[in-house]
Amino acid sequence: MQKRVYGHQKQGARLGHTKIQGKSLLVRGLNALAAVISTPLSAPVIGATRLRGGNAASARGAASLAAQVIGTARDCGCTGTILARLDSAFYNAAVIAAIRGQGARFSVTVPMNSSIRAAIAAISDDAWTPIRYPRAVWDDQLDAWVSDAEVAETEYTAFASKKGQAVTARLIVRRVRDLNKQAADGQDELFPAWRYHAVFTDSPFELLQAEGQHRDHAIVEQVFADVTNGPLAHLPSGVFAANAAWLSIAAMAHNLLRAAGALASLPFAKARAATIRRDLIAVAARIARHGRGHLTLHLPEGWHREHEWLSLLAACGPPAAAA
């Protein structure tokens, strides 16, 4: 994530690529790398962060970060299959080797180069399986919602030109009809045209499940939205190391907020961070003192989030008595 900063004294601030409203722009700022841990039944938390200069390539330091966060996930009690999902910027031999070295699986988007196109062209026409998304997906190129596609898979060897680093795994390909926007004007298509999206993975799951799991890697964008709308609203210092510490603290604040939401109620376990702050943290209350040091917190009467707040308090336990 490219985090925009202001001022001429920011250490490490450089021009880097980012997307704003679907458009790729150069933004002067610092580059934050974050690894997110999630499960199908819980909201995502941040497992590791790293701050880099604004012009750093996406994959810089990603191999060691991936190994670190997989270890963190196991330390947190993740005993099932760990699948590292990444976009095409992290498609390189070092990152995949680091993931496999930790005993995890990988699923990474593949850039469309000549060898990938050749592998896709070799897939037979009867190997494609139609799928329908439970929720429509926005297609930036078609500028429309897409609700169906076709998927197929083949075997592929990546990084064959790198001595001792070749990896053979599954190449899962999703194709979407490239619709002609001028068809209504009499420009009907003579034959179907397709756009392809390829994923290189060693996932042990069946085709449709593996393809759907990879698309869910976009959950990291929601995490970035939550932290930039909260503790990472800005990077306040001109010192690079201080901003790196601020990024780590922002990740801890996000994780604590997620834990509070999970303890409060099931809806809050998956609520946006701003919703949790509004309903459980930023609550109008009055503190009254009785006797010697006995404090009472008076909360609003008839408050619609009373039960969730009390559930959170009961889960955390009452505060310790003052010495």
Side-chain angles (χ1 to χ4, degrees), residues 15-89:
L15 290 174
H17 287 277
T18 188
K19 278 191 175 182
I20 299 178
Q21 296 182 344
K23 297 180 180 179
S24 182
L25 302 173
L26 276 175
V27 172
R28 183 176 180 274
L30 296 171
N31 192 277
L33 187 66
V36 170
I37 303 172
S38 64
T39 75
L41 301 178
S42 63
V45 295
I46 301 174
T49 61
R50 191 165 296 172
L51 189 66
R52 295 97 52 84
N55 59 349
S58 295
R60 178 180 173 184
S64 58
L65 188 77
Q68 176 187 344
V69 76
I70 292 170
T72 300
R74 296 200 187 281
D75 291 341
C76 291
C78 297
T79 57
T81 300
I82 295 180
L83 179 67
R85 304 176 295 189
L86 312 101
D87 63 24
S88 59

